[in-house]
Amino acid sequence: MSALAAMFRTRSVVVTASTTLLATGLATGLATGLLTALTPASAAGAEPAWNQAAAAERVLKDEAVLTPGQGGVTHVKETIRYRFAGRQGFKRTYPTRSHESLTEDRVYKIQNLRASSPDGGPTRVDTSEDDTRTTVEVTGGAKLTGDRTVVLEYDLRGAITPMGAAEELRWPVIGGWKVPLDEARATVDGGTAIRNVNCFTGPIGSMIGCTQYYMNHTHTQGVFAQQGMLPGEYLVVVAGLPARTTGGRALYERRHTVATAFSVNAVTGSALAGLLVLLCGGVAVLYLLRGRDARVVGKKAAEGDHAPVAGTEFEPPDGVRPGQIGTLIDEQADVIDVTATIVDLAVRGYLLIEEEDRARTGRLDWTLRRLDRPQVDLLPYERILLDALLTAPDGSTRDAVKLSQLGGTFATKLAQVRSAMYEDVVKQGWFARRPDTVRSRWTIAGIVITLLGIGGTVALALTTEWALAGLALIIAGAALAYGGQYMPAKTARGATVLAHTIGFRAFLERGTIPESDVYGEGGIASRQRIALFSRFLPYAVVFGVVPKWAETVKDAGERAEGADNLYWYEGPAEWDLSKFAESMRVFTLATSGSISQSRGM
């Protein structure tokens, strides 16, 4: 088919399409008029005025000229013939961003946008961006009716892409209207020989060809035309230029997503490196604070005990009480340390522990009875504990209290006892500061840093690509909060006492003592052994070896003639020392539960 025949065929299609559009328009107008005449005035008045105006408005003609220039900047001049129906201006949308991958967008930059009008149309230009689109709004100072001409001009960057031996200009130059468009025409003025042209119409991404496209006889211009476009459709023009005609390149930007927010870059890499240094430094600090304990303990264990610690491996450190040892070992004043102190007060003659007759009362219970002994050698925390046990809820003193009565009422007093135990280990010179205060300080600091890191990570993830730096802060804060539990450090004196305690604990764990002539085999010597083993029992509570050491006390009692009870522990009728080991195991468990139980729990 000749070029002339093809042109006539194209014109025939255009005429046919125009005739169809005209007929459709006449039919639509007739139907609209009939509907308006038949619709009640009240219903017609309910339709917003903006919708009525939008329904009457349209773009009569939109012509654009694209002129590619050096640096890949394309100048666009668009002449719009717009029919107004009572509004001050119009809007149209340009697709200025496309998602090329999960982390990268191709962008098109519209710059130096301006508007003019030769016949009183709107000329004030405002732009706004929403994800992948840029909306241009052109408005004037008054509501307009009738046809007006508006000339839009702007510079476009990013629309030219090098493609091997050519450059491709591709841009949806016309479209994105909210109203129908009757006629669209675009011209690419290459300034040099254009290699090829093409065009598409419809939504972005459509592969439907436009009504007409061709090159002029000198091949320096590409001409594109489209008859009739619906709201939201575009006319995309494509022109191939010789390589290096403009030197333009596609523009890409990293898209802000979760993947990019947590990407590794110079900033986040430095933050992670800083975190590594911080963690390593934290390990070094912990070694200096905690490792010193291990070095001193090892040294003292090798050299043997020296003043102020006296005694042998078969005895506790001189003058050191069970509650003190429990706090020294794990740097915490635990409930079991308080329980051991209650047993120690009984062994030392301040309390008598009486086991109730379960067959008579129907439950297992104990009575703690005050003994008349001066409190001259009690430490402050022991005095507080003894007074707390034998003070009634109304503030009056009592001579005895059942263990079951402490449940739910002693928890607040327990906190005072534990606080006094922390004060005691500082007073003894075993710690420079209260262990609980040191732990709390470091833990709170770690929690605060973690919360700041969470807030910072969220803020950075929403706005930047440095969220990994915030994540590093979270890790550092969490590590600090966890490491804070190990921050309390013993002094050299405290570590020396701990060294002797380790040997004493090993002795209690064995549950035996070498036979010695000091204790002999007679009844009096056996009673001395009972007293000695009883003195060690509170320490066994701290070390968690009550069953084994209670068996030792039981064996010693069975060897003593007529020893059905201990001087500090009495059982019910038909009870003897053969049952002591089980009684003591249950007593320590029941005591720890009663003194720590809160009311209502």
Side-chain angles (χ1 to χ4, degrees), residues 325-397:
I325 284 183
T327 307
L328 176 68
I329 289 176
D330 60 4
E331 301 162 353
Q332 296 192 58
D334 298 320
V335 174
I336 194 64
D337 301 332
V338 180
T339 300
T341 302
I342 293 175
V343 176
D344 186 51
L345 290 174
V347 171
R348 288 159 55 198
Y350 292 96
L351 290 173
L352 176 63
I353 303 175
E354 300 176 345
E355 182 177 335
E356 300 288 334
D357 188 350
R358 186 173 184 178
R360 181 173 58 84
T361 62
R363 64 176 181 175
L364 191 61
D365 202 355
W366 290 263
T367 298
L368 305 180
R369 189 175 304 279
R370 184 197 300 270
L371 297 179
D372 187 15
R373 178 175 178 176
Q375 301 181 8
V376 292
D377 63 339
L378 289 180
L379 295 174
Y381 78 87
E382 294 175 324
R383 187 174 293 106
I384 293 174
L385 175 59
L386 188 60
D387 291 343
L389 290 172
L390 298 174
T391 300
D394 60 1
S396 61
T397 59

Side-chain angles (χ1 to χ4, degrees), residues 27-39:
T28 302
L30 181 58
T32 302
L34 290 174
L35 182 61
T36 303
L38 295 174
T39 301

Side-chain angles (χ1 to χ4, degrees), residues 417-446:
V417 176
R418 296 176 65 184
S419 178
M421 296 176 76
Y422 284 123
E423 293 288 349
D424 179 78
V425 292
V426 175
K427 183 179 179 180
Q428 298 295 332
W430 300 342
F431 293 90
R433 288 174 293 277
R434 287 180 48 147
D436 60 331
T437 302
V438 174
R439 273 193 301 272
S440 298
R441 184 179 305 161
W442 284 99
T443 301
I444 291 173

Side-chain angles (χ1 to χ4, degrees), residues 534-558:
S534 294
R535 184 165 69 89
F536 291 168
L537 183 59
Y539 299 94
V541 174
V542 171
F543 296 135
V545 292
V546 169
K548 181 176 291 187
W549 195 253
E551 286 288 342
T552 303
V553 177
K554 182 190 76 172
D555 293 343
E558 290 175 346

